[in-house]
Amino acid sequence: SNNVLLTNHRAAKISDLGMAKMIRADSKQTKSRLTTAPGTLHFMPPEALVEVDPIYGTPVDVFSFAAVGLHLFSEEWPTPSSERRRDPKTKKLVALTEAERRQPYLDKMTSGEAAAFKPTILQCLDDDPDERPPIEQVSQTLKDLKINQEMADEWINLIINFGSRDQMIQMKMSATLEQLYKMVIEKQNNSRIRFEDMRMAFGGENLERTKETLEECGMYDNARIIVHMRMSGGSQYIQGRKIGKTVKVTNEIDVVTEDDDTPTMQLPCGHAMTPESLAYWIKDQVDSRKTEIRCYKCHQKWGLSQLKDMGLTTDEKKTMELGLTENLLHHKYKCKECPRCGLYIEKIGSGYRIMCPMCDNYEFCWNCLREWKAPGSGCKDCGNHNCNIDALQQILQSCGTATISNISGVPVIRLCPACGEGIGYKGGCKHMTCHGCSHQFCFVCLKKWPCAGNSSDYNKKCVVAPRQTVN
């Protein structure tokens, strides 16, 4: 409003309740005649609206003051109602009193200074100008309630210090410390500054997030508040790698290196590693043709989403994701890539003649990955020189034998019964784990481990499976 001014101390002053005139204290003049309907409609008394030649005096200002008070206490524009009510005696519709027309705003004056000042507001809104209290009485009521002082000090400036940067905010003296924290966070527009990490200090004391008001804390205009942030783990950096804020940083021993001198991260299973140990372990798993990442210690499976904020570089994440996918295709589903377009293809059946669905009439040999040259409909001889199907067959049929777990005559080269990966025997017991697909089987009888129904009986004899052939 153009009629509300602020002092240097930001106290609100109402500058025009109509058209005020200076009246000497010893003057008998108490009223003057002005133009019709002076002032703002919502703040005007009934006599200023219904009389053709209104008389302007102190009662008009008293009524307008009450309307302004309603505006301040309800924090809404005090629009009077135009409804009517039925008189219980005459049964006729009659106009509401000025107080009744503003009842919704009066109903909001239920606590504190508002409730204490409500009776005075009701008196000031009386329809009869002569029944309204004199302005001296209203002023005395204000002084008794100390509302004038509260209004002068209601809003204050606060200087919020962030290191080398200051920020000015305005708040009510009645605002709580919790509201102060929220406003400071909102003003930052920075997702890295979190509500739970922030602390503020003033006057040698830490400001807790409580319902205590600024006034109760001794705040004043232009008070300076210092912000400090609580950050764990050196801003969540370990070994120069950035760690996500949701990752718990611990002092637990690294399960890979058994080093306890460097902070570690708590993994999804509860064990701990440094970022470099985790990167090393993931690379080892990918190089070992694994299709999933499991804990070094307890072998619990980890999801990729659980590892994304654990200090891995962008290249390490890409290598992990691509490596696990390629391992799945190459070693679990035994896919190969079309020599012409690179499409991953999984072979079904025993034939080696493959037609790529992406390349027009292009056929290649599954074994040597060269274009199929042999005429006719044969599915094993591709017509390329040195295609190694025959060589592999020769190796399987002519390789030497060994005695394994006291069982003699066992061929030293086998194909994994699950994926067909070639495996050579170099020593040890008959329990074998395929490096390609992790299938466990008996190298002697080729049955799934444990072949004898007891995984601890490595020396129990079983029947030697015959030499294998390439299908």
Side-chain angles (χ1 to χ4, degrees), residues 38 64 80 102-103 126 132 181 183 214 223 238-239 246 248 262 270 283 293 303 362 368 390-391 414 427 434 467:
S64 297
R102 294 164 175 82
Q103 192 61 48
D126 200 292
R132 297 171 196 157
Y181 270 92
M183 174 170 282
L214 303 185
I238 302 177
Q239 297 174 325
T246 59
K248 184 178 179 180
T262 305
K283 184 178 184 302
I293 305 298
Y362 177 75
C368 67
D390 293 337
R414 296 289 205 181
C434 176
R467 292 178 180 270

Side-chain angles (χ1 to χ4, degrees), residues 9-11 75 113 146-158 169-180 183 202 210-223 225:
H9 299 291
R10 295 192 175 275
E75 298 183 355
E113 293 85 357
K146 299 183 179 179
I147 292 180
N148 56 338
Q149 184 63 35
E150 289 291 330
M151 289 185 174
D153 295 337
E154 188 175 14
W155 288 90
I156 59 173
N157 291 318
L158 297 175
I169 65 172
Q170 290 183 339
M171 294 201 74
K172 290 182 178 181
M173 287 287 282
S174 58
T176 65
L177 293 178
E178 185 176 25
Q179 292 171 332
L180 172 63
M183 174 170 282
F202 169 74
T210 64
K211 300 296 183 181
E212 190 175 7
T213 67
L214 303 185
E215 182 180 18
E216 291 169 341
C217 292
M219 297 284 182
Y220 53 87
D221 195 35
N222 292 319
I225 299 173

Side-chain angles (χ1 to χ4, degrees), residues 226-242:
I226 309 298
V227 172
H228 68 281
M229 304 295 295
R230 295 183 64 184
M231 307 299 293
S232 60
S235 296
Q236 294 287 73
Y237 277 85
I238 302 177
Q239 297 174 325
R241 295 169 178 259
K242 187 175 182 180

Side-chain angles (χ1 to χ4, degrees), residues 428-449:
C429 69
K430 63 180 182 177
H431 180 199
M432 190 66 64
T433 300
C434 176
H435 189 66
C437 68
S438 300
H439 176 65
Q440 298 183 52
F441 65 98
C442 174
F443 203 77
V444 176
C445 67
L446 298 181
K447 293 180 180 179
K448 185 177 180 181
W449 189 263

